[in-house]
Amino acid sequence: MGAVLDTGAKPGRLALPAEGALRDGLLQAFEQVLAYARAQDALADPTRAVHEFRKSVRRARALLRLMEDVVGVDAYASARTTLREVHRETSALRDRHVVLGVLHGLAPADGDADADADADVGADADVGANAGGPGTGDMDRPVGLAALVGTLVATIEAEPAPEAAVVAQVLARGGQRLEPLPRLVAGGVPRRLGWDPLTAGLAASHRRGRRRLRQIERGDDSDPVVHALRKRVKELTYQVELFAEVGGARVRRRRKRLARLSEALGTVADLIVARAYVVEHSRPGSDQAALIEEVERTRAKRLGRALGRAESLLDRPARASARKITRAARKRRR
C-alpha cells in the first residue's frame, strides 16, 4: 500500500481518503482503524480503552463485511473469525460498567431525564457508549424498589473492577491478533477494484437492517431480535461513515442520523443486560418483580422511540440509497 493519506476524519473513525486508488483507500481505512484499537492505553484509562477498542473492532468488522464480495474466501473467513473472537473476549470487561450505568439511570432525578438523554445523543452519538444508562428519573418508585436498586448498585461497586493491568493484558492479546489482519485482507483483494461491489455491499447491509425492523414490527421484539437490529444498524452506520468525509454534507447527515439510531438502540440493549443482572443477583419477590417491570416499561418506551427513527431511515429503497452514497463519494475523489 502507498503512503498514508490524511482523511480529515476524527481519530478512530473509518474514512476513505479523497485521493488515490480505491483499493488502497479501503485497505488504509481498515489498517488505520485497527491501529487505533491497538494504540489504546488501558493503564491510563481502562474504561475508555475498552470502549474505543471494541468500537474499532466493530468498525473493522463492518468494513470487512462491506468488502465481502471482493475479499478472497479464505482471507475473509479468517479475518471475520478473528475480529469476532477478539470482540467477544472483551465483553466481560464492559458488562459491569453497563449495568451500573443503567441502575444509576433508574434512580430518581429532577426533570425529564429522557429529554436529556436525547439531547446528548443529538450532540454526538459516537461518544459516551450509554455510560449514564437510560434515564427514567421522572418515575415515582416505591421505597422498597429504591432500596433494591441501591443494594444492587452497592453490590456491584463493592466488587473490584478489573485492574488496569488485567485490562491491558486482555487488550494486548487482542491487539496481537489484530496486527496481521491488514496484510491478510490485502492479500485477498484484487489489484483492480470498482465501486459496484461497495454499492452492493451497502445495499445488502441496509436490507439486513430492514428485515430485522420488519420482524419487530410484526410483533417479535424479543431480546435476540432487538440485539440483531442494533448490530445491523451499527454495521450500516460504520459503513456509511467510511464515505462521510469524502461524500459531503448529505452523507455526513445520514451517518449522524444512523449513529443516533444506534445509540437509541444501545440504551435498549443496556436495559436487557441490566435486567438479566437483576434476575441473577436479586432475590425473587415483589421488589424484584417491580424493578423488572420498571426495566421492561423503560425498554418498551425506548424501543418505541428507536423504531420510529429506524422506520424513517430504513424504509426506503436499499439500492437507490446506497448508490447515492457511493456516487457522492466517487464524484469527490481525485
Side-chain angles (χ1 to χ4, degrees):
M1 195 173 71
V4 174
L5 301 174
D6 183 19
T7 62
K10 292 182 179 180
R13 286 192 179 180
L14 288 172
L16 188 65
E19 58 186 55
L22 178 59
R23 177 186 186 274
D24 290 347
L26 292 171
L27 294 176
Q28 174 181 313
F30 188 74
E31 182 175 8
Q32 288 188 333
V33 79
L34 290 180
Y36 183 78
R38 295 173 57 229
Q40 296 308 306
D41 187 354
L43 294 177
D45 188 340
T47 300
R48 176 177 171 78
V50 170
H51 175 55
E52 294 298 317
F53 184 93
R54 287 172 58 82
K55 282 200 306 183
S56 296
V57 172
R58 278 192 178 277
R59 283 181 160 101
R61 292 174 69 180
L63 178 52
L64 183 68
R65 189 70 180 269
L66 182 67
M67 298 192 297
E68 182 175 4
D69 290 342
V70 298
V71 179
V73 174
D74 292 341
Y76 179 85
S78 179
R80 183 183 182 187
T81 298
T82 298
L83 290 169
R84 182 174 63 247
E85 290 176 352
V86 168
H87 192 267
R88 184 182 300 138
E89 287 165 3
T90 61
S91 296
L93 299 176
R94 180 177 179 268
D95 287 349
R96 179 181 186 275
H97 180 66
V98 167
V99 175
L100 274 174
V102 172
L103 291 176
H104 280 305
L106 291 172
D110 295 331
D112 186 353
D114 286 336
D116 292 342
D118 286 342
D120 290 341
V121 170
D124 187 350
D126 201 31
V127 176
N130 316 320
T136 55
D138 50 348
M139 295 182 181
D140 182 17
R141 296 190 287 107
V143 174
L145 187 54
L148 176 57
V149 172
T151 300
L152 288 171
V153 169
T155 300
I156 298 172
E157 291 181 337
E159 299 173 357
E163 294 182 2
V166 174
V167 175
Q169 289 176 356
V170 173
L171 298 192
R173 286 197 301 269
Q176 289 175 350
R177 298 190 66 189
L178 297 179
E179 185 176 6
L181 294 189
R183 292 190 298 276
L184 173 67
V185 171
V189 177
R191 291 293 174 185
R192 296 182 63 84
L193 182 63
W195 286 83
D196 287 348
L198 302 182
T199 302
L202 205 55
S205 294
H206 186 128
R207 293 188 191 100
R208 285 191 291 269
R210 189 169 59 199
R211 282 196 295 270
R212 291 301 186 181
L213 174 62
R214 294 289 178 260
Q215 191 173 354
I216 294 174
E217 291 176 338
R218 289 194 296 267
D220 183 2
D221 65 347
S222 59
D223 293 347
V225 177
V226 172
H227 274 302
L229 174 61
R230 186 199 179 200
K231 289 179 181 179
R232 299 289 72 81
V233 170
K234 270 185 171 289
E235 181 178 77
L236 183 59
T237 302
Y238 292 148
Q239 290 171 353
V240 172
E241 175 182 278
L242 175 72
F243 305 103
E245 289 302 319
V246 71
R250 180 174 294 182
V251 181
R252 287 193 292 273
R253 284 195 299 270
R254 181 157 178 79
R255 184 216 68 84
K256 191 166 187 177
R257 291 183 68 198
L258 284 165
R260 289 175 176 176
L261 172 59
S262 178
E263 186 77 2
L265 290 168
T267 64
V268 179
D270 287 353
L271 283 160
I272 292 171
V273 172
R275 182 188 57 200
Y277 185 91
V278 170
V279 171
E280 182 178 353
H281 294 278
S282 63
R283 293 181 180 179
S286 59
D287 288 341
Q288 184 201 64
L291 180 55
I292 292 173
E293 182 181 353
E294 183 170 334
V295 171
E296 285 289 348
R297 184 156 58 94
T298 307
R299 177 191 185 277
K301 180 180 179 182
R302 287 282 174 163
L303 181 58
R305 290 183 177 183
L307 293 181
R309 287 177 171 172
E311 184 70 25
S312 66
L313 285 167
L314 299 177
D315 190 20
R316 59 179 69 186
R319 180 75 183 187
S321 179
R323 191 182 295 116
K324 287 179 181 178
I325 292 169
T326 55
R327 184 180 295 163
R330 185 175 185 177
K331 284 182 179 180
R332 290 171 173 82
R333 291 194 84 237
R334 298 185 292 275

